[in-house]
Amino acid sequence: MDLSVLEKQISSYSPSADLNLIRKAYEFAKEAHRGQHRVSGELFIFHPLEVAKILADLELDLQTIAAGLLHDVVEDTQYTIEDIEDNFGPEIALLVDGVTKLGKLEFKTKEEQQAENLRKMFFAMAKDIRIILIKLADRLHNMRTLTSLPKEKQLEKAKETLDIFAPLAHRLGISKIKWELEDIAFRYLEPERYYELVEKVAKKRQERENHINKMISILKERLTSSGISAEIQGRPKHFYSIYKKMKEQNKTFEQIYDLTAVRVIVNTVKDCYGALGVVHTLWKPIPGRFKDYVAMPKPNMYQSIHTTVIDSTGDPLEIQIRTYEMHKTAEYGIAAHWRYKEGAKNNSDFEEKLSWLREILEWQRDLKDAKDFMETLKIDLFTDEVYVFTPKGDVIDLPKGSCPIDFAYRIHTDIGNRCIGAKVNGKMVPLDYKLKNGDIIEIITSGHSNGPSRDWLNIVKSPQAKNKIRQWFKRERRDENIARGKEMLEREARRNGYDIYQLIKNDFMNNIVKRMSFTNIDDMFAAIGYGAVTAKQTFQKILDEYRKNAEPDKLEFNVEKVDSKSKVKKKVERGIKIDGIGNLLVKFSRCCNPVPGDKIIGYVTRGRGISIHRQDCKNVRQGHFDKERLMEVKWERFEETSYPVEIQVWAYDRTGLLSEVINLLGEIKTNIDAVNARATKNGIAIIDLIVEISSKQHLETVMQKISRIKGIYDVKRVMNL
């Protein structure tokens, strides 16, 4: 292991740096990892050394590079954080602790472990942004050496990289790391498409390079004659970027023209606009393909002017224009502006660049469930931005798909809570209007407003707005939330054939409440009521704990055979009559979701009473059940009971469609348990609904009324058969 390469890297950007700290950290890590090998067979110390080189490539300070050398010591050796602090001080100990996983805690699921590790990382980032830079360097080297791992592990790491770490690098503006992470992950997740693309790009490379060089020569000559000094280079598009464009725009490789962009780097902002004038004089710009990120930088600090023109051969050509300083920021992002490196302890501009991180920390505190946290994190990291204006001309960036309510909460929590309407570009719009780039938004508020509506949680896009709406309900309507949460949990338990009030009497409830980070059971009910956790997830946790703690014989229901001649008939819960057997819980199967009016059959389960299926259910038809445990059942007095049914709606997509469907169901007093809406690339909207239905006739009425809404062309019951 040769340390000299790392030392040369550091000296190239910091000639006066004292390298003794780096040598000490290297020797400490080398001794700590002595005898350890990576899966590839190479000595373990090779990994932290390569991580340190990546950090030096970002031109980071000595403390960060030392922490990079030490980052696996606490996780993988007998040394502790206290040992690191004793030898290297509190600053480096904080950095190492921030990237150390929560390995000693027990987690129920892999997802829960991943969520908690990421949660810890974000908290640590808030204290010191260098932690995420070390984490990204660590992930990049692990991805470069992924070939040694088993196939399953390769796919897991590649997916996590594409879902979390590449978007994180993007949000921090570090395109240098982002592109490489994406391309490596793409290679493992879609190997056939990746290598097919590599081959196609290679075939066109020579022809493309000749063309680009010719365009560069023409542009260079014109800029020089205009008195603008510029460095011009061709920038090849990355493989994952090409693949994403083909997928999103439904294009073939042959239809992607901007495989290479021309980048013009100049000395001043004035020269940026001067160069733009020269480009547009030379070649005709394509309307709608001009973006000025110099006047309006991206949230990750990226600045550049983008324009697409039709060049002299009639092909589209993308041109990016920026200063040298902007180019450095585009490559290194937050690392290029890092305050400690420059010695500025109070840099308000730097703090503003990290405002999105503070927002993540704000909303994640109320997300108790690991799955919710992961999904919301992906939305916040992955979603493209839309740029809109306040009436005074201030630029506000929001996730793509945001509505005026998101804008209102971004301006101020109180404005969001008192919002009753919105004007976009001077015209009134519905609150679910999707904001577009360049829209000027004016929020209409009222001092007499009753606060946000629960429906807003289904409309808003930004995690910040969702969090503030939940906080309002949490604070203002606690009693209502507790009652609503109890009702939702009771309904979920009843749907699964259990009495929630019998279950929550058990002592294990204290463990569940504590594990979900609530003070008491009312807090848990309230959280369900205002949407911080779902009734389904909470009930599953309670049921799992019940099964774990209950004695085995208590889990088995006592099923007594009765002579069929005696015609004993006992009515059980939820409108079902069963011949010959009594005292059983009833559970309606989710594989076929029977409702009154369907022909049904019962199946005696072990531990969960009788499961009710439709007679044409695939599980019954295909003989998946023991025939001796099938029994006749009938509907009886079901009018006061409701049953969950899944409906799928197909329509031509338009603004306000989902709101109309939800409002209609409210008008005909039909409860919605769940809703999921998505739009396809060809303008088709698909809405999946789970609604509470009392009978087959009720279901037919609901489907009929939905089908009359403008633009809807198909409504069907999802049978899962």
Side-chain angles (χ1 to χ4, degrees), residues 464-529:
Q464 298 91 335
K466 282 187 180 179
N467 182 51
K468 287 171 181 176
I469 293 166
R470 285 179 182 138
Q471 281 180 344
W472 189 88
F473 282 108
K474 180 181 178 181
R475 187 177 61 251
E476 300 290 327
R477 299 187 178 176
R478 180 172 167 79
D479 292 343
E480 182 189 315
N481 287 328
I482 291 171
R484 181 184 171 85
K486 278 182 184 175
E487 183 189 326
M488 290 165 74
L489 193 57
E490 184 182 3
R491 192 189 306 156
E492 181 63 29
R494 198 170 63 239
R495 185 181 296 126
N496 286 275
Y498 288 88
D499 179 349
I500 192 63
Y501 296 105
Q502 289 298 320
L503 290 176
I504 62 176
K505 284 179 184 175
N506 290 281
D507 293 339
F508 63 70
M509 278 306 298
N510 292 330
N511 297 334
I512 291 174
V513 168
K514 191 184 291 184
R515 202 170 78 212
M516 293 179 76
S517 304
F518 296 118
T519 309
N520 52 51
I521 199 163
D522 277 351
D523 283 354
M524 184 187 79
F525 286 137
I528 297 169

Side-chain angles (χ1 to χ4, degrees), residues 315-569:
D315 290 330
L317 176 67
E318 185 188 329
I319 296 174
Q320 301 173 355
I321 306 167
R322 60 179 70 152
T323 66
Y324 286 96
E325 187 62 32
M326 291 171 192
H327 181 59
K328 190 175 181 183
T329 299
E331 293 290 301
Y332 297 99
I334 209 84
H337 286 253
W338 183 66
R339 56 181 170 177
Y340 294 95
K341 186 175 72 177
E342 295 169 1
K345 294 288 181 186
N346 297 307
N347 189 331
S348 59
D349 186 48
F350 183 90
E351 293 297 326
E352 192 182 324
K353 306 299 182 195
L354 293 178
S355 60
W356 63 272
L357 172 58
R358 317 280 175 225
E359 286 160 3
I360 285 179
L361 292 174
E362 185 185 325
W363 58 250
Q364 71 87 40
R365 282 189 178 91
D366 275 353
L367 291 175
K368 308 291 182 188
D369 187 83
K371 193 172 182 182
D372 283 348
F373 174 77
M374 290 301 293
E375 286 309 308
T376 315
L377 179 62
K378 286 174 191 177
I379 288 169
D380 202 74
L381 289 178
F382 240 153
T383 312
D384 290 334
E385 290 88 18
V386 60
Y387 297 91
V388 294
F389 294 91
T390 66
K392 291 182 178 178
D394 295 326
V395 181
I396 303 292
D397 64 285
L398 292 163
K400 199 171 183 180
S402 291
C403 65
I405 303 168
D406 291 284
F407 176 86
Y409 277 106
R410 176 61 65 86
I411 300 301
H412 196 278
T413 304
D414 192 45
I415 290 174
N417 289 339
R418 294 190 294 114
C419 171
I420 58 168
K423 284 183 181 180
V424 173
N425 304 324
K427 293 179 181 176
M428 288 296 294
V429 295
L431 288 176
D432 62 355
Y433 167 86
K434 295 283 185 289
L435 301 178
K436 299 180 183 68
N437 277 323
D439 281 346
I440 300 170
I441 323 295
E442 183 183 346
I443 298 297
I444 300 163
T445 60
S446 168
H448 304 292
S449 166
N450 292 323
S453 159
R454 286 190 188 277
D455 294 337
W456 288 7
L457 289 169
N458 299 320
I459 298 171
V460 295
K461 185 74 175 176
S462 62
Q464 298 91 335
K466 282 187 180 179
N467 182 51
K468 287 171 181 176
I469 293 166
R470 285 179 182 138
Q471 281 180 344
W472 189 88
F473 282 108
K474 180 181 178 181
R475 187 177 61 251
E476 300 290 327
R477 299 187 178 176
R478 180 172 167 79
D479 292 343
E480 182 189 315
N481 287 328
I482 291 171
R484 181 184 171 85
K486 278 182 184 175
E487 183 189 326
M488 290 165 74
L489 193 57
E490 184 182 3
R491 192 189 306 156
E492 181 63 29
R494 198 170 63 239
R495 185 181 296 126
N496 286 275
Y498 288 88
D499 179 349
I500 192 63
Y501 296 105
Q502 289 298 320
L503 290 176
I504 62 176
K505 284 179 184 175
N506 290 281
D507 293 339
F508 63 70
M509 278 306 298
N510 292 330
N511 297 334
I512 291 174
V513 168
K514 191 184 291 184
R515 202 170 78 212
M516 293 179 76
S517 304
F518 296 118
T519 309
N520 52 51
I521 199 163
D522 277 351
D523 283 354
M524 184 187 79
F525 286 137
I528 297 169
Y530 66 77
V533 293
T534 67
K536 185 176 179 180
Q537 289 158 347
T538 307
F539 173 72
Q540 196 55 53
K541 283 184 170 74
I542 294 170
L543 190 57
D544 289 347
E545 199 71 25
Y546 168 65
R547 286 176 176 159
K548 197 163 71 179
N549 286 274
E551 296 169 24
D553 59 332
K554 294 276 179 72
L555 290 174
E556 295 286 340
F557 290 90
N558 184 23
V559 181
E560 295 179 4
K561 297 268 182 184
V562 181
D563 184 358
S564 59
K565 290 179 183 176
S566 66
K567 303 284 184 187
V568 175
K569 292 185 180 181

Side-chain angles (χ1 to χ4, degrees), residues 269 273 291-298 303-305 326 395:
V269 172
Y273 292 102
K291 289 171 184 170
D292 187 350
Y293 295 120
V294 171
M296 211 160 62
K298 287 186 177 184
Q303 284 185 287
S304 194
I305 293 172
M326 291 171 192
V395 181

